Amino acid sequence: EKGGYPHFMIKEINEQPRALRDILTGRIAPDFSGVDLQEVSLTAEQIKNIRKIAVVACGTAYHAGIVGKYVMEKMLRIPVEVDIASEFRYRNPLIDAHTLTVIISQSGETADTLAALKEAKARGSRVVAITNVVGSSIAREAHDVVYTWAGPEIAVASTKAYITQLLGIYLLTLFLGKELGRIPAGEMTDILHHLYQLPKQAQDILDHLNEQLNKMAEIFNQWEDTFFVGRGLDYAVALEGSLKLKEISYVHAEAYAAGELKHGTLALIVKDVPVLALCTQPDVFEKTVSNIKEIKAREAHVIGVAFEGNKEIGKSVDEVIYIPETLPLLAPVLTVIPLQMLAYYASVHRGCDVDQPRNLAKSVTVE
Ligand code: M6R
């Protein structure tokens, strides 16, 4: 049932190119002029009335939601707030008929996320769910559903579900952006062409980085602490990379917005401590590099993650993980893959139970 792989997690990591292909199938217009989301029945009138988007989820799905905030605010110029479901439901949220609520959940059964959905509905908000499980409670309760078609995810650590949640966010954003007339035709086509390349590029990462990442993960045999830093979308992915490592290898990992380090965390950066520095966003690249210099001044071991062809990064870090180049907007889909693989190999090297980490359940149906 593991298809020849030793664990479900690595099987599911390797299924990601297929999962990306499946979520895109039939959804990109043949002439690359827009996306087809027939399952979303929001009318043009309802879309024009959206004043705020509230994204609500837990864990990995919440991290996908943070990517969603950056993406939707940039493309739609509508304010987006992202909440952890167990916070949202108890904070008397400012949600009304002018709010579009986007609920993200792999299982569609997470108790807090389901309760948050009901709370949003009760306040008159329209709800779109991005979920993987057809007929799940969240799919049934939402007004509209964007299915992620990742297939069953068995490993507790979410991988292919996350990556397809990101695709769900891009598709929904492009759909709304077209209705609102906020995305110029040329930009739409360019984004769609790049989305279309992602499955192949994800496959390239799996084919070419496996050995390097397996070896690199040995560093976590010696270290119980590590840091993930980045700015913008890279920060959103840093959060997910650090959760993955904590969850399955029990290495303590902190994710920080790179500019925030010197407000406290820099005190923890010591000689040789591993730091993953994500550097895919050109508009903040120079700023991140100056943060990396602050980290290097404390003699940490810095591993950069950047697009192929980025020669600059090599001058500032100890090692680089190169990923195929895509639009900065779409980078999270590719950046997360090496981080998932690092976490996987760290877990294997440390002799942990990869698929069933201690204290955790696949679906959290209790509050
Ligand atoms: O099924 P859901 O997407 O609602 O689950 C949410 C979280 O419990 C889940 O993403 C969790 O954080 C994963 N185990 C992380 O890998």
Side-chain angles (χ1 to χ4, degrees):
E1 56 183 355
K2 292 185 194 137
Y5 291 99
H7 303 99
F8 281 109
M9 184 181 176
I10 192 70
K11 171 174 181 273
E12 289 160 8
I13 287 174
N14 277 281
E15 283 170 353
Q16 292 182 119
R18 197 269 307 141
L20 291 172
R21 236 169 251 125
D22 286 353
I23 187 172
L24 289 174
T25 299
R27 280 163 164 172
I28 297 183
D31 61 355
F32 290 86
S33 61
V35 299
D36 188 352
L37 276 188
Q38 274 177 2
E39 61 267 58
V40 176
S41 60
L42 275 168
T43 63
E45 195 55 31
Q46 285 167 326
I47 294 172
K48 294 220 163 55
N49 275 326
I50 300 171
R51 295 285 166 273
K52 184 171 95 174
I53 298 174
V55 183
V56 191
C58 299
T60 284
Y62 168 70
H63 294 156
I66 296 176
V67 171
K69 175 181 169 70
Y70 284 100
V71 169
M72 291 191 281
E73 285 193 342
K74 180 174 165 42
M75 309 287 297
L76 307 177
R77 307 309 296 163
I78 295 175
V80 179
E81 55 184 43
V82 194
D83 268 279
I84 292 169
S86 58
E87 290 295 314
F88 176 90
R89 52 182 296 214
Y90 298 117
R91 75 172 173 85
N92 197 0
L94 292 166
I95 302 295
D96 61 19
H98 294 290
T99 309
L100 177 69
T101 301
V102 177
I103 295 282
I104 310 176
S105 173
Q106 187 284 129
S107 62
E109 300 297 345
T110 301
D112 281 317
T113 312
L114 178 60
L117 187 170
K118 291 180 179 164
E119 179 73 31
K121 258 171 89 179
R123 288 166 191 252
S125 173
R126 181 92 192 177
V127 178
V128 178
I130 298 178
T131 186
N132 195 35
V133 179
V134 178
S136 57
S137 304
I138 285 174
R140 280 185 278 116
E141 283 285 336
H143 298 107
D144 296 299
V145 184
V146 176
Y147 283 113
T148 52
W149 304 126
E153 192 179 63
I154 309 294
V156 166
S158 184
T159 54
K160 61 179 182 170
Y162 171 78
I163 225 168
T164 53
Q165 284 159 1
L166 298 183
L167 267 283
I169 288 163
Y170 292 120
L171 292 171
L172 182 63
T173 305
L174 294 172
F175 170 78
L176 297 174
K178 181 145 189 181
E179 283 294 329
L180 292 167
R182 303 248 162 101
I183 306 176
E187 193 181 342
M188 174 71 81
T189 305
D190 191 37
I191 295 171
L192 292 175
H193 275 289
H194 281 89
L195 273 178
Y196 193 71
Q197 293 302 319
L198 289 174
K200 189 187 157 300
Q201 293 178 311
Q203 189 64 54
D204 280 352
I205 294 176
L206 297 168
D207 292 345
H208 297 122
L209 293 183
N210 196 44
E211 300 253 299
Q212 183 193 0
L213 295 167
N214 189 346
K215 184 95 195 55
M216 205 179 253
E218 286 173 10
I219 200 167
F220 298 114
N221 293 341
Q222 295 120 52
W223 283 95
E224 294 296 328
D225 279 297
T226 189
F227 299 86
F228 289 71
V229 301
R231 287 172 181 254
L233 285 168
D234 284 329
Y235 169 53
V237 178
L239 288 166
E240 175 57 9
S242 88
L243 173 61
K244 224 75 310 170
L245 193 66
K246 280 182 277 214
E247 184 175 20
I248 57 167
S249 76
Y250 317 144
V251 172
H252 171 237
E254 294 255 11
Y256 262 83
E260 187 66 7
L261 275 181
K262 50 173 151 319
H263 299 282
T265 311
L266 210 45
L268 291 172
I269 305 286
V270 294
K271 189 169 180 326
D272 295 333
V273 71
V275 178
L276 271 289
L278 313 188
C279 305
T280 66
Q281 301 296 305
D283 54 337
V284 287
F285 181 72
E286 290 306 326
K287 298 282 175 199
T288 307
V289 167
S290 54
N291 299 132
I292 292 174
K293 287 187 177 136
E294 293 157 5
I295 296 168
K296 278 308 304 171
R298 275 84 196 169
E299 298 179 76
H301 183 81
V302 181
I303 302 169
V305 182
F307 288 137
E308 271 157 15
N310 182 336
K311 298 261 163 11
E312 275 309 297
I313 185 74
K315 297 178 194 156
S316 316
V317 302
D318 298 284
E319 298 177 80
V320 190
I321 300 169
Y322 278 115
I323 58 169
E325 185 165 7
T326 184
L327 296 176
L329 184 80
L330 305 181
V333 179
L334 300 179
T335 320
V336 76
I337 300 174
L339 305 187
Q340 296 167 341
M341 292 162 83
L342 265 185
Y344 172 75
Y345 285 118
S347 177
V348 171
H349 294 324
R350 290 166 62 94
C352 302
D353 187 342
V354 177
D355 287 335
Q356 291 285 334
R358 66 190 180 207
N359 310 338
L360 298 172
K362 181 65 185 162
S363 186
V364 184
T365 50
V366 292
E367 298 185 3

